[in-house]
Amino acid sequence: AEDHSEPLYAFPLIEAATGLRNDENQDSVQSLVLDGWYGGDRNRLWWQADADWQAGVQRSSGIAAWYGHYFAPFWDAQIGLRSEGHPGSASYLSVGVRGLAPYEYDTDIKLDLRRDGKTLLHAHFEQEWLMTNRLILRPSLAVALSGSDVDATVRKGLYQANMAAQLRYEFSRKTAAFAEISREMYLRTTATGESDAT
């Protein structure tokens, strides 16, 4: 009998960094991001977890998992759950798409619905430029929008944006060192909310 089962693969990515947040406090910062998927060409389990610290104090954390199903070349539709941890806690139903847009932009768009009816839209775009076979420049843009005011930082409309450029050197296909500069902007924050930083 012919076997039509879908081959299964895994892609885990671990990214750890330390640096300096250039705002009024000049604090040290650390971040940890886990990203990846497991499955085949048509059905995948996607996951993501992240946390960051400033001056030794945790600023934020989150964990999410989605079921992804192929619906067009290079594109998955996704549905799952996302949970935010410290400093507050909230859980969301998360739906969206992830794939490769024209001109090879890696695109991730999610609409998150909270239990109290609050809605958030997150979009992340990045592209990789090969300087050499091992030296790679990765510019990226992330934006966040809210359907309503949530707190001092999350305001209705486009409330946050992050622009970054990462230069990495791949020692192998599994290990790389990188340097990155990014600019965080809180576009509709109140006086008691987050401040812009580089």
Side-chain angles (χ1 to χ4, degrees):
E2 194 174 350
D3 185 7
H4 293 286
S5 60
E6 187 178 17
L8 299 178
Y9 309 94
F11 176 74
L13 176 67
I14 302 171
E15 189 173 280
T18 186
L20 179 68
R21 181 179 168 91
N22 186 13
D23 57 10
E24 64 272 11
N25 298 315
Q26 300 277 318
D27 288 328
S28 64
V29 291
Q30 294 79 38
S31 65
L32 178 65
V33 177
L34 310 178
D35 194 7
W37 54 264
Y38 176 78
D41 294 330
R42 293 192 170 274
N43 299 284
R44 293 178 180 179
L45 172 65
W46 295 77
W47 68 82
Q48 192 173 72
D50 61 84
D52 63 75
W53 297 262
Q54 181 174 345
V57 178
Q58 190 173 31
R59 294 180 66 224
S60 65
S61 65
I63 187 169
W66 301 272
Y67 163 70
H69 182 72
Y70 167 94
F71 72 93
F74 308 111
W75 287 94
D76 274 14
Q78 298 177 322
I79 184 169
L81 297 173
R82 184 174 72 86
S83 179
E84 292 178 347
H86 185 88
S89 62
S91 297
Y92 302 84
L93 173 66
S94 181
V95 296
V97 293
R98 187 164 182 174
L100 200 62
Y103 302 102
E104 298 186 345
Y105 283 96
D106 188 359
T107 302
D108 185 4
I109 301 173
K110 298 290 191 304
L111 177 65
D112 296 336
L113 176 63
R114 208 163 71 175
R115 183 179 299 177
D116 60 4
K118 303 289 187 183
T119 57
L120 303 173
L121 180 69
H122 299 274
H124 182 90
F125 310 93
E126 65 182 46
Q127 191 180 48
E128 295 195 340
W129 301 344
L130 270 66
M131 317 300 286
T132 70
N133 285 339
R134 293 180 180 269
L135 189 65
I136 300 166
L137 178 64
R138 186 182 75 183
S140 64
L141 171 67
V143 295
L145 300 93
S146 176
S148 59
D149 291 349
V150 177
D151 56 31
T153 297
V154 179
R155 315 297 290 175
K156 184 177 181 180
L158 177 63
Y159 67 88
Q160 185 179 358
N162 182 291
M163 296 184 296
Q166 181 192 97
L167 184 66
R168 77 175 185 269
Y169 183 82
E170 293 187 344
F171 298 106
S172 70
R173 282 301 187 190
K174 294 184 177 181
T175 307
F178 67 87
E180 181 173 301
I181 184 168
S182 64
R183 178 66 177 170
E184 285 182 359
M185 294 168 287
Y186 295 87
L187 307 172
R188 294 176 176 271
T189 187
T190 66
T192 56
E194 292 277 4
S195 59
D196 295 354
T198 301

